Amino acid sequence: MSAAPTHPAPGHSHGHAPASPLTARKSAALSGSLRPPGDKSISHRALIMGLLAVGETMIEGLLEGDDVLRTAQACRDLGARVERLGPGRWRVDGAGLGTLATPTRTMDFGNAGTGTRLMMGVVGGHGITASFDGDASLRKRPMRRILDPLTLMGAEVVSEAEGGRVPVTLKGASDPTPIEYRTPVPSAQLKSAVLLAGLNSPGRTTVIETEASRDHTEKMLAYFGAQITSEPHGEHGRRIVLEGRPTLRARPVIVPADPSSAAFALVAALIVPGSEVTIEGLMMNPLRVGLLDSLMEMGADIEVLDRRIEGGEDVADLRVRHRALKGADIPAARAPAMIDEYPILAVAAAFASGETRMRGLNELRVKESDRLAAVADGLTACGVKNRIEGDDLIVQGAKSVPGGSTVATHLDHRIAMSFLVMGLASEQPVTIDDANMIATSFPTFRPAMERLGAVFG
Ligand code: S3P
């Protein structure tokens, strides 16, 4: 067995690791190929399914970013044996649905909203008490949206920080009440929390969403043996019905490459003149590739090659070439399928001719940072005209972007990577105030981009 990647000591995440600024400089044409790391959403879910299933779940291609390592630790705290067998190869020997252990310490999720919220669902549906905490960014994020339906199912919030934030102590329900729940915001984390709590319910749990969000939880529950159906609801929504108390059996999971991480190399290749880059093994789940649709509308040169099924997901390789982009109007209905990609789309828009309007970005305000404000401030710092109108962000593109400034990342990995990409094509270098958070989702970002020809430092 090879050594596990280092996991920060629990309790240390609210302290401040020394900030580590990084500068990106105008780069010559990018070329070559890149296989992005494993998908973050699927990585969290693979570990959690391993925890709840009976038997050994073997995982290939797990993202070994800090967020996911926190979920691995939480699975151990809840009674699973979790081992790293080699790079990206993990084995989870499940505690089994209904038989979780009570953690003996606070589960520290660091920066990870997904890990926290999905695990709140797991704990909320079991008769155990557990405490959740995280870093300064996580401590600002809303958890009421998760705790409300869990309370309806019989869980009890023993304590919470003001405004429904972590630290939270939750006492789960041993016989969760089956509910029909309409999600008030389009959120896969919220949907997943309710479904995961409903797993241990003696009845049928229904979740209705008016805008379809990513469906990895539903797919994985079905793959592990649960009875779950998902039907269209209204114009853009889904109605998901889960039968409680299934026997979940361990299955092998192959984690496809993360489209949200691929997005940085993709946009870098589009904006750095002369570039041609191939991105390999990218997951093409339609609920995740809204960025591709948006970039195509902006005139991007992206060829989709070798579409195939790998590990139950649609994947493909993408060949991306630099091309002048034009502004576009991005509809609000597309937001759930590209929710994490707005910062990097805003960078593409800065280099496009004309105006790009991104509509319906309210949820961006409650991500790892207030991403709407962080993107707008970063663009302004780099000399890109932009404005916020209600929930819309409007970016005025130009042939050249001045750069030459330092961008505040607010503990947000996607803000950090997006503005580094901007610096690869701006006139003057762009510095980010702290590159540490990149390790939450894309620990190999810098060397992977450097292999394509990106200049940092
Ligand atoms: C995720 C869902 C999204 C996304 C996050 C990952 C998931 O959050 O922003 O990075 O894995 O379910 P919301 O559910 O809050 O929209």
Side-chain angles (χ1 to χ4, degrees), residues 40-41 45 114 117 145 186-189 214 339-340 367:
K40 184 150 77 72
S41 294
R45 287 159 172 82
T114 307
R117 290 175 170 145
R145 56 174 64 183
S187 162
Q189 295 177 0
R214 64 192 69 189
I339 191 67
D340 291 334
K367 294 295 176 189

Side-chain angles (χ1 to χ4, degrees), residues 93-110:
D93 194 355
L97 186 62
T99 60
L100 302 189
T102 295
T104 54
R105 56 177 179 180
T106 296
M107 295 191 287
D108 183 345
F109 284 93

Side-chain angles (χ1 to χ4, degrees), residues 7-14 70 73 77 105-108:
H7 183 270
H12 280 202
S13 65
H14 343 291
R70 302 276 179 164
Q73 182 55 41
D77 292 343
R105 56 177 179 180
T106 296
M107 295 191 287
D108 183 345

